[in-house]
Amino acid sequence: MERWPWPSGGAWLLVAARALLQLLRSDLRLGRPLLAALALLAMLDWLCQRLLPPLAALAVLAVAGWITLSRLARPTRLPVATRAVLITGCDTGFGKETAKQLDAMGFTVLATVLDLDGPGARELRACCSLRLKLLQMDLTKPADISRVLEFTKAHTSSTGLWGLVNNAGHNDVVADVELSPVATFRSCMEINFFGALELTKGLLPLLRRSRGRIVTVGSPAGDMPYPCLAAYGTSKAAMVLLMDTFSCELLPWGIKVSVIQPGCFKTESVLNVGRWELSKRLLLANLPRELLQAYGEDYIEHFHGQFLNSLSLALPDLSPVVDAITDALLAAQPRRRYYPGRGMGLMYFIHYYLPEGLRRRFLQTFFISPCLPRALRPGQPGPTSTQEAAQDPNPNPGPSPTAAR
């Protein structure tokens, strides 16, 4: 028996009316994304017609069409006008490219760098307008942070401070937690968490006054147990939780908080193979002898090589991250999370919805393939048996009297 066609037609009329309205307002573009969305809706309609009662089919198709068109709509942007933004970590990578783009859009950009005479600072001076101000800041030094806070307060008194982009980040070791020095965890936390926390708190009076934005560059390593990135990932996880807390607490003040979780991109720090080689040599030179014997030098070499191989697949175009930061600063309703980068949607789907074993296997396949420590390989004495043999003065005793009875 044929299904009554009117519910489906009613849903399509609703979708068509909204699409036409968005096209007239220039909120929607004719292109592949729209055509793909319509094709998926047609497939959904076909399924609903066969599996659901008429009214349920109408509701499902109408809601799916409304959500799809909402996702495809181009966000409403606020005018740049005389807005001022402070960006940290502009020596290289995302920070430098974001500073260049925001300056070109007309922002007053305060860009912090570690070295005022470094190549990144020279490039920004050469290609940006006189509105851009370069500030030297090391997030591990409270005096540097205080100086930047005073400068920002003095130079945004007329325009106000619209946004803070916490971009500066640090990672200097690729190793298991047991092999990573505790000092590495501390250095990551000092820069990626405590320094950013101190700067953000210091700028909150300015941001509250402007009802502005806080944008923080996080990392998927802060959400997922990436092999060999525990020190970096732990600091990023702490930072993201802090931003979520700020998002709730600052909502009454009108401040919007966003976190960017980018995939792997070819920034200067990623491409600096010499830095990673030096880090590996320092790790091997300072490992306790017992740990080096248990894991093996070849284990560390394997993970180092796999890490460098994963970096070779990094994306060269940084614009998705820069565009996400820009949207978080200017969208009337910015997202709380942005995931720029190829395959990020699939990665987070696997992380949130698949069993733990499959999640772990995916990360190992995608990032670093597993390798057994030396002490766990077949034919090698395990750590427990080795310790017991060392402690037992008589490894082959005869049967005890109790056992003989």
Side-chain angles (χ1 to χ4, degrees), residues 375-395:
L376 298 179
R377 296 170 197 165
Q380 295 288 338
T384 304
S385 61
T386 304
Q387 291 169 7
E388 289 175 350
Q391 293 171 0
D392 191 349
N394 182 17

Side-chain angles (χ1 to χ4, degrees), residues 330-380:
L330 285 179
Q333 295 298 327
R335 304 179 202 168
R336 290 186 62 183
R337 290 284 191 279
Y338 291 82
Y339 301 98
R342 186 173 56 208
M344 295 302 293
L346 173 62
M347 184 180 296
Y348 272 90
F349 174 83
I350 290 171
H351 174 68
Y352 286 123
Y353 298 110
L354 294 190
E356 192 272 336
L358 290 176
R359 298 200 307 264
R360 185 176 64 250
R361 198 171 306 158
F362 172 79
L363 276 180
Q364 290 172 343
T365 303
F366 174 79
F367 187 58
I368 292 180
S369 62
C371 173
L372 279 177
R374 178 186 294 165
L376 298 179
R377 296 170 197 165
Q380 295 288 338

Side-chain angles (χ1 to χ4, degrees), residues 190-270:
E190 282 294 331
I191 297 172
N192 301 343
F193 180 75
F194 287 112
L197 169 63
E198 186 174 350
L199 180 67
T200 304
K201 282 173 64 68
L203 293 174
L204 280 181
L206 299 177
L207 293 167
R208 283 192 282 105
R209 202 172 304 147
S210 65
R211 301 174 66 86
R213 304 290 168 86
I214 299 172
V215 184
T216 298
V217 179
S219 169
D223 290 331
M224 309 175 200
Y226 270 71
C228 299
L229 290 182
Y232 178 71
T234 300
S235 64
K236 288 295 187 178
M239 190 61 181
V240 169
L241 181 58
L242 175 69
M243 289 300 121
D244 285 344
T245 304
F246 272 142
S247 181
C248 297
E249 294 177 352
L250 298 175
L251 191 61
W253 295 95
I255 297 176
K256 293 182 172 62
V257 180
S258 299
V259 174
I260 316 294
Q261 300 285 56
C264 190
F265 288 84
K266 286 185 178 178
T267 60
E268 287 89 334
S269 60
V270 164

Side-chain angles (χ1 to χ4, degrees), residues 1-4 49-50 54:
M1 186 168 84
E2 287 190 16
R3 303 294 299 270
W4 191 251
Q49 288 285 343
R50 281 150 184 79

